[in-house]
Amino acid sequence: MRKLLNTLYITSPDKYLALDGKNIVIYAEKKEIGRMPLHNLESIVTFGYSGVSPALMGACVENNIFLYFMSQHGKFLAQVSGEMKGNVILRKEQYRISDNEEKSCGIAKNIIIGKVFNSRWVLERMTRDYPMRIDVEHIKQISKTMNEILKSISAASTLDELRGLEGNAASQYFSVFDNMILQNKNDFYFHERNKRPPVDNVNAMLSFMYSILAGMAASALSTVGLDPFVGFLHRDRPGRISLALDIMEELRSVLVDRFVLSLINKKVVSSNGFIKKENGAVIMTDDTKKTLLDAWQSRKQETIKHPFLEEKIQWGLVPYSQAMLLARYIRGDLDEYPPFMWK
């Protein structure tokens, strides 16, 4: 299994990144404020405009370090990466499957099964851990409804049908998301999922962390030789990392949603770290982003047993494990793509 390396996150748009020997150097107002050895990094993620020297870009390509440029709100803008790895035959087969709706539906179905299964598990886990603080009966009913949707997903035969069922399941899940917020309810509440732009503190955190997860998925797919821009559930759109969005669907609830809920319920974040703009958009301060990313780095290091591989791996390697399994399926080494279904 691949070794988990570090990710460098640059949250302030006024930073400049340069190369000094084998080190990345971070400047602010032309003064050096930090440096890190390149051999410790697997990716660099910048938010807002951060200048990067051509020499550093070249070093990232040479050392296979992914360099991502995101908007200040976390929207993917562009990436710099090295030579695509893997067999061209693998990618050609990926493109053939993407052009075939029936075959695409087979992969997409398993992805959505994994997503709904994991979302149900998050609800069931809450009823087990906090039976005196949440409406157990109501959440159990929602979980039961989602289980019925799972049965329909298994019988779905078109992508449109799958998308409708996935949307129904997501609506059920998010209808009780606010129930899982146990602290600071005046400042951290959830009425509905909104993202362009997020208009409350919880959605701001979810959108930001989903973007981080999408970047991780894109890096993992590129590493195993797949094209992160050509998906099966998410169809082709210029500039969209469609396959990365596919892979992250089954990981949203267990990786990001639980993470955001834990930060709120443990009072790691406060309302002081959010700014509401005139247009209603809510953005996080740089300090709050740093708090999230520091906690995320720790979460990525935690060890779990992968339910399909039956190996102990770090949470941060789960996107890579799924990318690897997808590549194995496309090569014909597996009968079907096994989604990540955690308990």
Side-chain angles (χ1 to χ4, degrees), residues 301-314:
Q301 299 292 333
E302 294 177 7
T303 301
I304 62 166
K305 185 176 181 180
H306 193 284
F308 180 81
L309 297 173
E310 296 188 342
E311 296 178 7
K312 286 187 176 181
I313 65 171
Q314 294 160 309

Side-chain angles (χ1 to χ4, degrees), residues 281-338:
V282 172
I283 62 173
M284 294 184 291
T285 64
D286 289 344
D287 286 343
T288 299
K289 290 178 184 176
K290 184 178 185 302
T291 297
L292 263 67
L293 294 172
D294 286 346
W296 182 248
Q297 293 285 52
S298 297
R299 176 61 60 89
K300 284 164 56 179
Q301 299 292 333
E302 294 177 7
T303 301
I304 62 166
K305 185 176 181 180
H306 193 284
F308 180 81
L309 297 173
E310 296 188 342
E311 296 178 7
K312 286 187 176 181
I313 65 171
Q314 294 160 309
W315 267 115
L317 287 177
V318 171
Y320 172 77
S321 70
Q322 295 310 117
M324 179 183 65
L325 290 170
L326 180 58
R328 287 182 183 176
Y329 166 71
I330 292 174
R331 283 196 300 264
D333 298 335
L334 293 172
D335 292 335
E336 61 180 336
Y337 167 68

Side-chain angles (χ1 to χ4, degrees), residues 164-199:
L165 292 166
E166 184 273 334
N168 188 9
S171 178
Q172 293 290 326
Y173 170 71
F174 280 122
S175 73
V176 292
F177 197 84
D178 189 67
N179 295 40
M180 296 187 283
I181 299 173
L182 308 177
Q183 301 287 347
N184 300 325
K185 296 285 285 189
N186 289 333
D187 298 319
F188 294 95
Y189 50 83
F190 185 93
H191 296 154
E192 63 179 355
R193 178 76 182 112
N194 51 73
K195 50 188 175 179
R196 294 188 183 92
V199 296

Side-chain angles (χ1 to χ4, degrees), residues 225-264:
L226 292 169
D227 187 337
F229 288 88
V230 179
F232 307 116
L233 177 65
H234 294 83
R235 309 312 286 171
D236 296 346
R237 181 184 298 174
R240 183 167 74 174
I241 44 177
S242 296
L243 188 57
L245 298 179
D246 286 356
I247 287 293
M248 70 176 280
E249 286 295 345
E250 61 203 73
L251 306 178
R252 286 177 184 265
S253 59
V254 288
L255 259 175
V256 171
D257 297 356
R258 290 181 64 234
F259 173 74
V260 167
L261 287 169
S262 70
L263 294 185
I264 297 171

